[in-house]
Amino acid sequence: MTKIAVFGSAFNPPSLGHRSVIESLGHFDRVLLLPSIAHAWGKEMLDYSLRVELVEAFISDLSAHNVECCTIEQQLFEANQEAVTTFAVLCALQEQHPQAGITFVMGPDNLFNFSKFFKAEEIAKRWSLMACPEKIAVRSTDIRQALQQNLPIDHLTTTKVCKILTENHYY
């Protein structure tokens, strides 16, 4: 059975903290990085297509054979024009990969809010859950704040993400 890890995040932008979580997922056949199309609790984010571009650059820097960007949230959003829930994402992915074992990977911030997720109990019954704290304490907020203060960010994210962010003056 194929083992798929689904790591959803705002990736606003991808950080070395995200990388440290991904490095803990090497035992999965596939690791899907799932940028949120909209934040469930209304957090302001860079445009979705730009964050997908950043995730693709981030993955390219990782050189991990099993990591890929998954834009299923965009497909679900365009089909329904309403908020996309983790439950809907996992259902759609299970439908696409009926024989796969799917694990929903959460960072520490989502672990504390998991009970607020739509159909949290059903998610826990149908799929595996994995709380995976960052081993490197670098948050996307750190990158955004550094950029706003014109400080270097090369120690906070990967090379290509750093280049895109600084050349395009995002945030």
Side-chain angles (χ1 to χ4, degrees), residues 59-70:
I59 291 168
S60 173
D61 281 334
L62 296 180
S63 313
H65 71 283
N66 64 336
V67 181
E68 59 195 88
C69 184
C70 177

Side-chain angles (χ1 to χ4, degrees), residues 61-132:
D61 281 334
L62 296 180
S63 313
H65 71 283
N66 64 336
V67 181
E68 59 195 88
C69 184
C70 177
T71 57
I72 196 163
E73 284 203 20
Q74 181 177 25
Q75 297 159 29
L76 293 170
F77 182 77
E78 288 172 355
N80 301 316
Q81 291 299 310
E82 59 185 42
V84 178
T85 65
T86 298
F87 180 78
V89 166
L90 293 173
C91 285
L93 288 172
Q94 193 70 74
E95 195 173 297
Q96 287 180 3
H97 309 282
Q99 301 304 313
I102 294 178
T103 299
F104 178 60
V105 178
M106 292 179 281
D109 49 347
N110 278 336
L111 175 63
F112 296 119
N113 288 314
F114 184 70
S115 64
K116 297 178 187 175
F117 280 45
F118 177 70
K119 295 193 177 186
E121 286 184 28
E122 192 167 343
I123 291 171
K125 286 179 191 166
R126 291 181 61 182
W127 296 284
S128 297
L129 300 175
M130 181 177 176
C132 201

